[in-house]
Amino acid sequence: MKTAFFSTHKWEREVFAGSNHEIVFFETSLNSSTTSLAAGYPAVCVFVNDKLDEAVLRALQAGGTRFLALRSAGFNHVDLKAARDLGFEVARVPAYSPHSVAEHTIALMLCLNRKLHRAHARTREHNFLLDGLLGFDFHGRTIGVVGAGKIGAVVSQIMRAFGCQVLVCDPALPDSVSLERLLEQSDVVTLHCPLSPATHHLIGAEQLARMKPGSMLINTGRGGLVDSRALLASLKSGHLGALGLDVYEEEESLFFRDLSDSPLQDDVLARLLTFPNVLITAHQGFFTTEALQNIASATLENLTEFERCGRASEANSVRLVEVRS
Ligand code: NAI
């Protein structure tokens, strides 16, 4: 099937090579000024920072597109109501490797705790002092996992193997504790729930104030789960002890690009990057060989299924009902 891929990178084009579908790769993201590229393509395939709002969807529909294949598990970037009303089928890759994101989450925790980013910079300068590098044993600590689905469950399992007590906040689970209790009792809080209107700014000033002084917050979920300005205030006051982010509220115009030659326009991100106890990666949690291969094979299956029967498979389809759950 003729499919227009948006926001593609060299590493993705390689894993999709040799498919039976007639794929055209565009580097540009999909937005209201690039929808004309998709005209005549029954399917478009997008990534996390392509914004499929109502205006974009209307333009796609006018160009003959009927199928939206998401190369991601998250679907917060698609207006599902507009998609349903305009008659689109939407499919995602619900689970390509929870281990990839879970392991990146643990990497951020370990790196921040033992200050590996600072130690590495120091030893390269032949500064072998330990001052400022003091960490703690994870063994015996309490980890708060917000959202214990596929990724959160793997994080919990790994942290239990470290000898941690794991508290889980997830309305779908019987052993869930309240978010308040989790924040008050955890040494590390890590976010793995989807972004939806209900979880937007789940962590704001009030929730940060509830966290233990000196504790760590990790967000590898979605940027909008956390109020970035509230993070700045908590870091400046010294209350939040460490922050690891793989996602950022305003990442759409920043991540997956080399902006090293231009002045950074985002003042909140620029300030976040000045703290020694903050570690930011640019949405690379999914970026392992295994995950990329799984994303490619599931996406190609989604295209084949739509071509075969005009619908997304039940397991991979994204419908409005999921937004409400
Ligand atoms: P999942 O659907 O298996 O699990 C999500 C869990 O969150 C569910 O158990 C659900 O009950 C729970 N949940 C929903 N609302 C909640 C709330 N208000 N408070 C606490 N828990 C809540 O999803 P999965 O595969 O574990 O992925 C989680 C998220 O991770 C995705 O939605 C996506 O945003 C993000 N992600 C990030 C990646 C990265 O590269 N950094 C890659 C893949 C996913």
Side-chain angles (χ1 to χ4, degrees), residues 74-300:
F75 47 84
N76 53 287
H77 50 307
V78 184
D79 180 339
L80 289 181
K81 182 175 179 310
R84 182 197 62 188
D85 294 348
L86 292 165
F88 283 99
E89 275 292 302
V90 189
R92 63 176 178 143
V93 184
Y96 44 82
S97 168
H99 303 282
S100 64
V101 187
E103 289 171 15
H104 189 69
T105 304
I106 310 296
L108 290 174
M109 284 183 200
L110 296 180
C111 186
L112 278 166
N113 174 32
R114 305 303 289 263
K115 284 103 180 151
L116 298 185
H117 51 308
R118 298 182 69 189
H120 178 63
R122 263 188 212 184
T123 51
R124 283 167 62 98
E125 296 283 324
H126 305 172
N127 172 355
F128 304 113
L129 281 174
L130 297 183
D131 305 59
L133 301 184
L134 189 64
F136 58 81
D137 285 8
F138 268 98
H139 185 269
R141 296 280 172 158
T142 302
I143 311 298
V145 177
V146 181
K150 290 176 284 297
I151 296 169
V154 178
V155 169
S156 304
Q157 184 191 23
I158 296 173
M159 294 321 290
R160 284 195 188 99
F162 270 76
C164 295
Q165 190 201 349
V166 175
L167 294 178
V168 162
C169 168
D170 187 322
L173 297 179
D175 57 348
S176 173
V177 302
S178 68
L179 181 61
E180 288 72 23
R181 184 175 152 206
L182 180 146
L183 295 171
E184 284 161 10
Q185 297 187 353
S186 299
D187 299 293
V188 177
V189 173
T190 181
L191 307 180
H192 303 289
C193 57
L195 176 63
S196 70
T199 60
H200 182 253
H201 284 187
L202 188 71
I203 305 294
E206 191 191 321
Q207 290 71 26
L208 288 165
R210 269 188 194 272
M211 287 175 66
K212 284 188 185 181
S215 57
M216 182 190 293
L217 176 68
I218 305 285
N219 185 12
T220 62
R222 283 290 181 267
L225 295 173
V226 181
D227 178 348
S228 311
R229 288 177 190 276
L231 286 177
L232 275 187
S234 189
L235 286 162
K236 278 165 83 174
S237 74
H239 183 75
L240 186 59
L243 172 69
L245 298 180
D246 186 48
V247 287
Y248 174 61
E249 278 191 276
E250 306 297 333
E251 69 176 58
E252 233 172 87
S253 56
L254 299 164
F255 286 6
F256 309 129
R257 294 175 175 85
D258 179 2
L259 301 176
S260 55
D261 279 337
S262 32
L264 184 54
Q265 298 299 321
D266 188 312
D267 291 349
V268 174
L269 182 63
R271 182 69 174 101
L272 283 173
L273 287 166
T274 65
F275 293 95
N277 51 348
V278 172
L279 192 53
I280 299 180
T281 52
H283 209 136
Q284 69 175 80
F286 71 96
F287 200 47
T288 66
T289 311
E290 291 80 358
L292 285 188
Q293 279 164 355
N294 292 339
I295 289 172
S297 57
T299 300
L300 293 172

Side-chain angles (χ1 to χ4, degrees), residues 2 4 35-44 55-67 88:
K2 274 182 74 184
T35 47
S36 58
L37 293 170
Y41 286 86
V44 301
V56 166
L57 292 172
R58 281 192 184 285
L60 289 178
Q61 194 211 35
T65 300
R66 294 289 172 268
F67 185 53
F88 283 99

Side-chain angles (χ1 to χ4, degrees), residues 5 15-16 19 21 23 295-305:
F5 274 52
V15 287
F16 280 99
S19 101
H21 295 280
I23 293 175
I295 289 172
S297 57
T299 300
L300 293 172
E301 279 167 27
N302 285 339
L303 294 175
T304 304
E305 181 69 4

